[in-house]
Amino acid sequence: MKRVRRLKESKKRKEALRSPSETDLKEISLDLNQNINDIKRTLGGSSDLTVREIRSGTDSNMHIGIIFIDGLADKVMIQESVIDPLMLDIRKTTLSTNVLLHSNCYDILKNFSLASGELKQIELFQSLYEHLLSGDTIILIQGESKGFAVGSRNWEDRGVDEPTSQTVIRGPKDGFTETLRTNTALLRRKIKDPALWIETKPIGHKTKTDVALIYLKGVVEEKVLTEVRERLNKIDTDSILESAYIEEFIQDETYTPFPTIFNSERPDTIAAGLLEGRVGIIVDGTPFVLLVPTLFVQFFQSSEDYYQRFDISIMIRILRYISFFLALLTPSAYIAVTTFHQEMLPTSLLISLASQREGTPFPALIEALLMELTFEVLREAGIRMPRAVGSAISIVGALVLGQAAVEAGIVSSAMVIVVSITAISSFVIPSFNFAISIRLLRFPFMFFAATFGLFGIIVGLLAMVLHLCSLRSFGVPYMSPMAPLIAQEQKDSIFRAPIWNLRRRPSSITKNDSTRSNTPQPKPDSN
């Protein structure tokens, strides 16, 4: 009975969240003073609420209320485009007398007075609060049951700076900010095509966060776009504070260590994804933009791969895949070889390792766990510490603790080298959230190696590959173009062909407008 009661209460709370309140459905009153009092009462008399009442018209017959939130609205714009026209321009114009005789106050303000490029009509308090709390200026008129929302958003925001999480040597240095319109403008600068469409909708009952879908019409796969829209429409929550909230709501697979949605704070990376037929999801308040569908190989690619020569890019990509296996398997391989397969080591190396471990009281697994956990603690401490001392703490801590642990006989010198190689290799991966997945998977592989040796590592790799092949991102196989194998797309997966040879878009992402370039291969001058 208690469980049934809890389910009914939960259902009632959800229905209460979905159903609009009486305040939301309430219409704007003809009485201006009543409207102003209702707004003040709803916002609790907040100190940042600014209300300005003025009289306008040739005989001051217009009673107008101007309402905005201090800090969200542009005061200079309000003064020049709202207050000055309402108080001065109507009195100065020679047409004012004739206009006042043949038009009502609402039409006069709409057609002759308000010098704003963004003007919307509002009739319900729900719409009024959405615009007011987004930085727009509300204009209400005595005797009118409708008002205006004037676009005046101009809150303080961070400038366009170089991204901190995805740095490049050669390439653009601009990065997304926390402002939605700034981010869409950065993408408009990259792709000057009218087919770049943007759809915006608020998500979150309390935060009403603006979330924008951005895509290239005619290039994007319609079924993928429809699926993204449906998943966003199903989100029923009171708050969206970062794009990670959206990511967890719409991702295909929850219980997997691998990310199935790509994120980036680089406009060139997102623009490149849109040109391949992907869909971008921009969330107001965060510089990290989501990109779907996502493939496994995408996390090993960097925007700088296309700004360097193709042969250099191939070498760097191969280095990343090698680093992936080093970061994932180095500790487990060391544990397996030193515990079960000593015959695989040269005799001199085996004698050296045996002499190092002679005074070590713990088995290789405990050694590796102690060192890996210590390094993870140092890594997190370096991130959370103040920036001026964070790097020094992590470097000095690793050196001091590693040397002290070896001298104390807790761990061997070889284990310190193994853990160091593992940690450095994990930093080679361009995507931070994918590197975290490797850090998590490292520990199960260590237990497999300590239990079954190299056989356990191989079984773990097979299980991981099977899991990767079972994943999908918005209907697209996660391991494309390797599984299923698509020969045409091997030009830009592990290797990268020259730019002039990348003539077609990835068929696993979209089959629309597949041709990207018809430029032939450059030929040397015969002279």
Side-chain angles (χ1 to χ4, degrees):
M1 292 298 293
K2 291 183 178 179
R3 184 179 179 183
V4 174
R5 193 180 302 113
R6 290 196 202 99
L7 290 173
K8 289 182 179 179
E9 291 176 355
S10 176
K11 187 177 181 181
K12 288 181 180 179
R13 285 195 297 268
K14 289 181 179 179
E15 290 177 352
L17 286 173
R18 293 192 187 98
S19 59
S21 62
E22 293 182 1
T23 303
D24 294 337
L25 297 176
K26 184 178 179 181
E27 295 182 352
I28 295 175
S29 171
L30 296 172
D31 188 352
L32 176 62
N33 292 325
Q34 180 182 339
N35 292 330
I36 292 175
N37 291 332
D38 287 343
I39 295 172
K40 289 181 177 180
R41 188 184 311 110
T42 302
L43 295 180
S46 300
S47 57
D48 59 349
L49 176 66
T50 303
V51 179
R52 176 81 161 87
E53 297 185 52
I54 63 173
R55 294 279 182 175
S56 186
T58 52
D59 54 356
S60 300
N61 63 330
M62 294 186 188
H63 186 194
I64 303 171
I66 303 171
I67 308 161
F68 61 91
I69 300 293
D70 188 11
L72 297 182
D74 186 351
K75 290 184 178 180
V76 176
M77 181 268 173
I78 295 173
Q79 180 66 39
E80 295 177 352
S81 301
V82 178
I83 297 179
D84 286 351
L86 291 181
M87 296 188 69
L88 303 176
D89 292 356
I90 290 182
R91 299 176 186 273
K92 292 179 181 179
T93 180
T94 56
L95 297 174
S96 60
T97 303
N98 189 39
V99 167
L100 289 173
L101 288 175
H102 296 88
S103 304
N104 58 26
C105 296
Y106 181 87
D107 292 333
I108 293 171
L109 267 60
K110 178 180 179 181
N111 299 321
F112 298 97
S113 299
L114 294 176
S116 175
E118 186 178 353
L119 192 68
K120 295 182 180 179
Q121 177 179 309
I122 53 174
E123 298 179 355
L124 298 177
F125 272 94
Q126 178 185 12
S127 178
L128 185 150
Y129 290 126
E130 288 178 0
H131 285 285
L132 178 64
L133 297 174
S134 296
D136 294 336
T137 299
I138 305 300
I139 298 177
L140 300 177
I141 309 165
Q142 174 66 31
E144 295 287 345
S145 60
K146 53 188 176 181
F148 297 106
V150 181
S152 60
R153 305 179 186 187
N154 188 33
W155 49 77
E156 292 295 328
D157 60 348
R158 181 170 60 89
V160 178
D161 299 322
E162 182 179 0
T164 57
S165 63
Q166 297 168 333
T167 57
V168 296
I169 303 299
R170 179 177 179 177
K173 303 296 182 182
D174 55 343
F176 289 121
T177 71
E178 287 75 16
T179 306
L180 178 67
R181 281 294 161 249
T182 302
N183 295 340
T184 57
L186 288 171
L187 291 173
R188 288 281 188 192
R189 287 184 59 194
K190 302 288 183 185
I191 306 175
K192 302 178 181 67
D193 192 316
L196 185 66
W197 289 12
I198 301 174
E199 303 174 7
T200 305
K201 63 169 295 182
I203 299 180
H205 305 295
K206 299 295 184 184
T207 60
K208 293 181 173 61
T209 306
D210 287 330
V211 177
L213 282 182
I214 184 166
Y215 56 91
L216 271 173
K217 184 67 175 178
V219 175
V220 67
E221 196 75 34
E222 285 297 329
K223 64 179 182 180
V224 173
L225 183 60
T226 302
E227 181 68 21
V228 176
R229 288 196 190 108
E230 290 178 355
R231 294 189 189 186
L232 289 177
N233 290 333
K234 289 179 181 178
I235 296 177
D236 186 10
T237 183
D238 63 346
S239 63
I240 297 292
L241 300 179
E242 215 272 339
S243 58
Y245 285 50
I246 299 291
E247 181 177 351
E248 290 202 26
F249 275 116
I250 68 174
Q251 64 186 353
D252 288 69
E253 184 66 41
T254 301
Y255 302 105
T256 177
F258 297 99
T260 55
I261 295 179
F262 186 78
N263 69 78
S264 176
E265 57 176 337
R266 295 190 58 85
D268 56 337
T269 300
I270 301 300
L274 298 179
L275 291 168
E276 290 182 342
R278 291 182 168 90
V279 180
I281 303 174
I282 308 175
V283 180
D284 191 27
T286 176
F288 290 92
V289 176
L290 306 179
L291 197 63
V292 296
T294 301
L295 306 180
F296 178 81
V297 296
Q298 195 173 345
F299 294 100
F300 293 89
Q301 299 173 354
S302 171
S303 58
E304 195 174 11
D305 293 350
Y306 305 91
Y307 308 146
Q308 303 284 359
R309 287 174 48 88
F310 78 97
D311 48 357
I312 297 175
S313 299
I314 290 173
M315 183 195 69
I316 294 176
R317 282 191 182 179
I318 293 175
L319 185 65
R320 290 179 190 140
Y321 282 96
I322 294 173
S323 299
F324 165 72
F325 287 106
L326 286 176
L328 182 65
L329 301 176
T330 301
S332 55
Y334 176 81
I335 293 171
V337 170
T338 56
T339 305
F340 295 99
H341 312 284
Q342 295 91 344
E343 69 278 1
M344 297 180 63
L345 298 175
T347 305
S348 57
L349 179 58
L350 180 61
I351 293 173
S352 175
L353 291 176
S355 62
Q356 292 178 27
R357 292 186 46 79
E358 185 178 359
T360 304
F362 304 112
L365 174 63
I366 303 301
E367 272 190 276
L369 286 175
L370 286 175
M371 290 303 298
E372 288 290 346
L373 290 174
T374 301
F375 183 81
E376 294 297 333
V377 170
L378 286 172
R379 191 198 313 240
E380 286 300 311
I383 295 174
R384 310 303 167 197
M385 290 287 289
R387 186 167 298 178
V389 297
S391 58
I393 290 295
S394 59
I395 295 173
V396 174
L399 291 174
V400 171
L401 286 177
Q403 184 66 27
V406 172
E407 292 180 356
I410 300 175
V411 297
S412 62
S413 301
M415 181 58 72
V416 175
I417 296 174
V418 167
V419 173
S420 300
I421 293 174
T422 304
I424 295 171
S425 299
S426 66
F427 290 122
V428 179
I429 309 300
S431 178
F432 179 73
N433 58 340
F434 192 82
I436 294 177
S437 302
I438 301 173
R439 289 160 58 185
L440 290 175
L441 288 172
R442 190 184 303 153
F443 293 97
F445 274 97
M446 289 163 58
F447 284 102
F448 290 154
T451 307
F452 303 106
L454 290 178
F455 176 76
I457 295 177
I458 294 173
V459 171
L461 284 174
L462 290 174
M464 186 184 75
V465 171
L466 289 173
H467 174 70
L468 286 170
C469 292
S470 69
L471 296 178
R472 288 181 174 267
S473 178
F474 288 84
V476 178
Y478 192 59
M479 291 301 291
S480 294
M482 274 86 75
L485 181 65
I486 305 175
Q488 180 66 26
E489 294 185 26
Q490 300 304 317
K491 294 180 179 180
D492 192 18
S493 55
I494 298 178
F495 306 101
R496 179 181 82 76
I499 295 292
W500 52 263
N501 199 16
L502 301 176
R503 298 190 178 118
R504 303 183 70 83
R505 306 182 202 278
S507 59
S508 57
I509 301 298
T510 181
K511 294 179 175 60
N512 300 330
D513 193 13
S514 59
T515 302
R516 305 180 65 174
S517 172
N518 291 316
T519 305
Q521 177 181 357
K523 297 180 179 179
D525 191 354
S526 59
N527 296 327

